[in-house]
């Protein structure tokens, strides 16, 4: 690999010499030395370089803050103070929103309410605050415990009492590393590593089955953008041939294709695989068409995506099925057989009790709301554990299993590490009626909860005032606990839904309420299936988010009763919320009469896609209908048939690739139209319908809505076996295609002009 050799020379009594040779690329030493010298000269080395830098000092003791404030203000730094974590988070948020983020935050380790390490992890989980360097101030005996924090993102730590010289030296080092790190990277690394995501350990091997070249190019780009490998087939038969020779993690299957369509190909695949194997197939079909979902599932597909496929929708679908196909060691462990011995979770194994980065991903909340969620869980967790203890004493195995399930779900929802696995084991042992093992597992849960309490106080923290040497700073970060049900965080965006949330665990309910409100929808709640049915008898809801496992009446039973009650006159959309990637969950949800399902903990990005998908069904896509009528007017007046902003949203690509897509479509479009004309002349309705379908899909994929609408009409005429109006429709398509060609030329000129201007600058 490196064109070298390796060997050993050994002589008894004299010793051994191990050697190797290797071939390396020659480095320009002089250029590297010059780069290092330039970088070194740019690193601040004197206190004067601190002038104007912004620092936030977080310490609960006023005298400590006053000393540090005095020392740093004397060096010309802008110093703000905060006496607890919430005030600090508010200050960071306000500074970021004002466009003046802090350069450094000094965090005291030992503070009530929230300690310095927990506060630091909250800050590190927020991308908007990434440029703020964190320095931990810790007591003498805690110096060793600060070392692991440096690996987790802290820039430095200081041992108290902090001398002024040590403080200044630390700040110079921290701020200097910011300059040197970026400079060295720019000087010597160039663009290496830009495609590191392609080597992601969870990379999937995907077969793309699509007959329209421009659609295939778009989806291939999106798949590669997400770090996965892709191969392609242009129809169902070719896909089956490839599946016979190769293994794929996922098949993205277009539904309507010549030779063999996606439905037929999937049925043939399921017959061939039998019970020995199951390849995940995700259908790609027209967006929100009634009956499409049922048709996909009936054919044996596992999921479906609407076309044109949006990269923001593709990502969570692939992520969901990736966890099924390639479960992580964490998931595999939690779903495997329960070990006969009880694991000993030592302190170092869960020193980071909460995974703050994952909690942010789950909640999409600000750090204050994330903290509020964890505080709520501490209270609920203590109550659940107490109830579990009593259930063991009473040998009430049903209650014990229920409490274990609640602990597992709630701890997963707030990203408390290790606890979901222990709670899962407790539930299994409860079902086995094993009191000794259950007692040991409850002790493990108590141990984790106590460590969590050691980091976070459950008492509410007042916002307080922020003190600054320059000017009073407003601290208006909301705790994310608006009392009004359905207070919209995105007023006017999309179609607001009226949602019934059915969930028995308070912390899970609070999280989903926050997510639904964040997405701009209204909600009401019920704590079990019986109460949900009572509310559904009195009120109309667009969608029900139904927890599957609840006391009194679970989600499966409630949905079955609802379907019987509604009969054929009505159909309320029910989306199950169930354990992530558990075998059989999806089938159980659908058999009960649910329309779809979400894995728990519910992620806001997946919930958004799910609600958006079903809003088109339950609301009849009123917004799309309205915009369609507006577009019919705009088409005549607009000089640009391509919606470049929407194309960016679809492709997630740079302008050059977008331009390449549209150019490819112009070429394909001309061929499709020529073939459509020949089909018209021969009255070949099958070919004409196929070409109209290809034009419709391809034009939608490059955001040419006017053409997609005309192609839809042509497709309808072809299916009706009539030439009436078809020549006029083909003429319209040709006119739009000419406009697209003009748009491409204008876009190329614009890009050349921008590039030329950039070069001059």
């Amino acid at each position: 690999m490196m064109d070298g050799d390796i060997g050993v020379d050994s002589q008894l009594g004299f010793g051994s010499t191990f050697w190797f040779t290797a071939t390396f690329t020659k480095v320009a030493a002089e250029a590297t030395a010059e780069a290092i010298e330039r970088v070194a000269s740019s690193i601040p080395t004197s206190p004067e370089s601190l002038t104007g830098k912004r620092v936030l000092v977080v310490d609960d003791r006023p005298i400590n803050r006053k000393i540090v404030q005095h020392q740093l203000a004397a060096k010309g730094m802008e110093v703000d103070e905060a006496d607890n974590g919430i005030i600090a988070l508010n200050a960071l948020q306000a500074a970021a929103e004002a466009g003046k983020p802090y350069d450094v935050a000094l965090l005291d380790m030992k503070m009530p309410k929230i300690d310095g390490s927990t506060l630091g992890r909250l800050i590190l989980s927020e991308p908007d605050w990434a440029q703020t360097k964190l320095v931990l101030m810790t007591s003498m005996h805690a110096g060793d415990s600060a070392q692991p924090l440096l690996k987790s993102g802290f820039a430095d730590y200081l041992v108290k009492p902090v001398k002024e010289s040590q403080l200044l030296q630390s700040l110079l080092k921290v701020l200097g590393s910011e300059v040197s790190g970026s400079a060295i990277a720019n000087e010597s690394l160039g663009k290496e590593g830009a495609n590191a995501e392609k080597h992601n350990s969870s990379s999937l091997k995907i077969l793309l089955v699509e007959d329209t070249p421009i659609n295939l190019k778009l989806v291939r780009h999106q798949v590669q953008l997400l770090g996965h490998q892709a191969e392609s087939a242009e129809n169902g038969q070719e896909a089956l041939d490839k599946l016979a020779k190769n293994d794929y993690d996922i098949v993205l299957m277009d539904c309507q294709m010549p030779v063999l369509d996606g439905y037929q190909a999937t049925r043939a695949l399921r017959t061939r695989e039998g019970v020995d194997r199951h390849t995940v197939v995700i259908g790609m079909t027209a967006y929100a068409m009634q009956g499409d979902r049922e048709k996909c599932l009936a054919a044996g597909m596992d999921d479906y995506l609407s076309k044109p496929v949006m990269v923001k929708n593709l990502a969570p679908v692939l992520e969901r099925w990736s966890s099924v196909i390639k479960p992580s060691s964490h998931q595999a462990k939690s779903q495997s057989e329960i070990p006969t011995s009880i694991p000993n979770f030592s302190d170092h194994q869960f020193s980071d009790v909460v995974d703050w980065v994952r909690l942010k991903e789950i909640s999409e909340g600000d750090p204050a709301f994330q903290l509020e969620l964890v505080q709520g869980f501490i209270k609920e967790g203590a109550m659940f554990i107490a109830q579990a203890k009593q259930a063991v004493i009473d040998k009430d195995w049903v209650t014990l299993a229920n409490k274990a399930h609640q602990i597992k779900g709630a701890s997963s929802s707030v990203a408390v590490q290790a606890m979901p696995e222990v709670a899962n084991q407790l539930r299994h042992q409860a079902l086995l009626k094993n009191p000794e093992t259950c007692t040991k597992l409850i002790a493990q849960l108590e141990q984790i909860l106590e460590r969590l309490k050691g980091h976070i106080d459950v008492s509410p923290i007042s916002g307080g005032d922020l003190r600054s040497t320059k000017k009073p700073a407003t601290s208006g970060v909301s705790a994310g606990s608006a009392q009004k049900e359905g207070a919209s965080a995105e007023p006017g965006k999309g179609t607001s839904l009226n949602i019934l949330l059915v969930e028995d665990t308070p912390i899970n309910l609070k999280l989903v309420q926050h997510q639904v409100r964040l997405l701009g929808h209204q909600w009401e709640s019920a704590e079990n299936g019986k109460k949900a049915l009572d509310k559904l008898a009195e009120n109309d809801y667009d969608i029900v988010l139904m927890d599957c496992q609840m006391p009194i009446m679970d989600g499966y039973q409630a949905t079955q009763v609802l379907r019987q009650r509604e009969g054929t006159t009505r159909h309320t959309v029910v989306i199950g919320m169930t354990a992530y990637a558990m075998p059989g969950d999806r089938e159980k949800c659908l058999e009960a009469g649910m329309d779809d399902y979400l894995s728990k903990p519910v992620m806001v990005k997946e919930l958004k896609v799910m609600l958006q998908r079903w809003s088109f069904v339950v609301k009849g896509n009123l917004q799309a209908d309205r915009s369609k009528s507006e577009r019919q007017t705009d088409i005549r007046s607009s000089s640009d048939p391509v919606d470049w902003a929407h194309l960016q949203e679809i492709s997630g690509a740079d302008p050059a690739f977008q331009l390449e897509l549209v150019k490819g479509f112009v070429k394909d479009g001309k061929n499709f139209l020529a073939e459509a004309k020949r089909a018209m002349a021969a009255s070949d309705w099958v070919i004409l319908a196929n070409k109209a379908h290809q034009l419709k899909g391809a034009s939608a994929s490059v955001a040419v809505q006017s053409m997609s609408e005309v192609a839809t009409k042509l497709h309808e005429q072809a299916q009706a076996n009539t030439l009436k109006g078809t020549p006029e429709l083909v003429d319209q398509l040709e006119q739009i295609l000419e406009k697209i060609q003009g748009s491409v030329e204008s876009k190329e000129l614009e890009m050349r002009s921008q590039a030329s201007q950039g070069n001059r600058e």
Side-chain angles (χ1 to χ4, degrees), residues 518-571:
L518 193 70
L519 296 173
H521 304 298
Q522 299 177 334
W523 55 265
E524 293 182 13
S525 62
E527 65 185 32
N528 59 57
K530 179 69 172 62
K531 289 188 176 181
L533 288 171
D534 293 342
K535 288 209 167 195
L536 283 159
E538 298 170 1
N539 308 287
D540 290 335
Y541 298 95
D542 297 312
I543 289 176
V544 180
L545 291 177
M546 182 82 75
D547 184 28
C548 290
Q549 295 188 11
M550 296 178 289
I552 303 180
M553 182 183 283
D554 66 28
Y556 304 117
Q557 295 169 318
T559 305
Q560 288 168 343
V561 173
L562 178 65
R563 294 298 177 232
Q564 290 172 358
R565 191 165 74 186
E566 289 184 332
T568 58
T569 58
R570 179 174 173 76
H571 185 94

Side-chain angles (χ1 to χ4, degrees), residues 73-84:
K75 302 302 179 185
M77 300 188 79
E78 295 183 27
V79 186
D80 287 346
E81 303 175 33
D83 60 15
N84 63 53

Side-chain angles (χ1 to χ4, degrees), residues 475-720:
S475 58
V477 178
S478 166
S481 56
Q483 297 300 312
K484 182 180 178 183
E485 293 186 345
S488 175
E490 295 187 12
K493 289 186 179 181
T495 304
S496 179
L497 299 168
N498 186 19
I499 298 174
L500 178 61
L501 310 177
V502 191
E503 171 64 67
D504 65 313
T505 305
I507 198 68
N508 291 352
L509 177 61
K510 184 172 187 173
L511 174 61
V512 180
Q513 285 171 346
H514 167 77
Q515 294 170 330
V516 167
R517 183 169 51 235
L518 193 70
L519 296 173
H521 304 298
Q522 299 177 334
W523 55 265
E524 293 182 13
S525 62
E527 65 185 32
N528 59 57
K530 179 69 172 62
K531 289 188 176 181
L533 288 171
D534 293 342
K535 288 209 167 195
L536 283 159
E538 298 170 1
N539 308 287
D540 290 335
Y541 298 95
D542 297 312
I543 289 176
V544 180
L545 291 177
M546 182 82 75
D547 184 28
C548 290
Q549 295 188 11
M550 296 178 289
I552 303 180
M553 182 183 283
D554 66 28
Y556 304 117
Q557 295 169 318
T559 305
Q560 288 168 343
V561 173
L562 178 65
R563 294 298 177 232
Q564 290 172 358
R565 191 165 74 186
E566 289 184 332
T568 58
T569 58
R570 179 174 173 76
H571 185 94
T572 303
V573 171
V574 178
I575 299 172
M577 297 186 292
T578 182
Y580 198 74
M582 294 292 287
D585 275 346
R586 171 183 173 275
E587 290 75 14
K588 197 171 179 181
C589 288
L590 297 178
E591 286 172 5
M594 296 178 182
D595 299 278
D596 221 322
Y597 72 106
L598 282 163
S599 1
K600 294 173 70 174
V602 174
M603 310 289 282
V604 71
K605 61 184 180 181
E606 293 182 358
L607 178 63
K608 181 178 181 180
V609 172
M610 185 71 69
L611 293 181
Q612 186 180 40
R613 171 190 293 176
W614 285 105
S615 73
F616 281 88
V617 177
V618 298
K619 293 287 189 180
N621 196 7
L622 297 177
Q623 184 180 6
D625 288 344
R626 183 175 64 251
S627 62
K628 179 178 176 180
S629 64
E630 291 169 356
R631 280 196 306 268
Q632 287 173 345
T633 303
D634 293 343
I635 289 166
R636 300 182 185 93
S637 59
S638 173
S639 59
D640 196 337
V642 182
D643 185 343
W644 294 99
H646 187 49
L647 180 55
Q648 162 63 26
E649 187 182 9
I650 293 172
S651 66
D654 57 48
F657 182 75
Q658 293 171 41
L659 188 63
E660 185 182 338
L661 276 178
V662 181
K663 278 182 172 180
F665 168 71
V666 170
K667 183 179 179 181
D668 289 343
K670 289 178 180 177
N671 292 334
F672 293 154
L673 281 172
E675 291 172 13
K677 283 183 174 181
R678 286 195 290 271
M680 278 191 343
S683 296
D684 189 336
W685 311 116
V686 174
I687 295 294
L688 181 59
N690 176 254
K691 294 306 154 187
H693 170 73
Q694 288 184 307
L695 280 165
K696 173 190 171 185
S699 56
S701 292
V702 293
V704 184
Q705 187 60 38
S706 57
M707 188 170 230
S708 183
E709 291 166 5
V710 176
T712 299
K713 294 176 183 177
L714 181 61
H715 185 261
E716 291 169 354
Q717 294 295 93
Q719 286 186 317

Side-chain angles (χ1 to χ4, degrees), residues 456-471:
I456 297 172
D457 195 302
V458 297
S459 305
I461 303 171
S462 65
D465 295 320
L466 181 69
R467 292 164 291 283
S468 171
T469 58
K470 294 296 179 184
K471 62 179 182 179

Side-chain angles (χ1 to χ4, degrees), residues 353-355 374 377 410-412 414-421 448 452:
V353 189
V354 178
D355 184 342
V374 178
F377 169 73
S411 57
S412 295
V414 294
V416 178
Q417 302 190 92
M419 195 173 249
E421 290 86 346
I448 299 170
L452 188 56

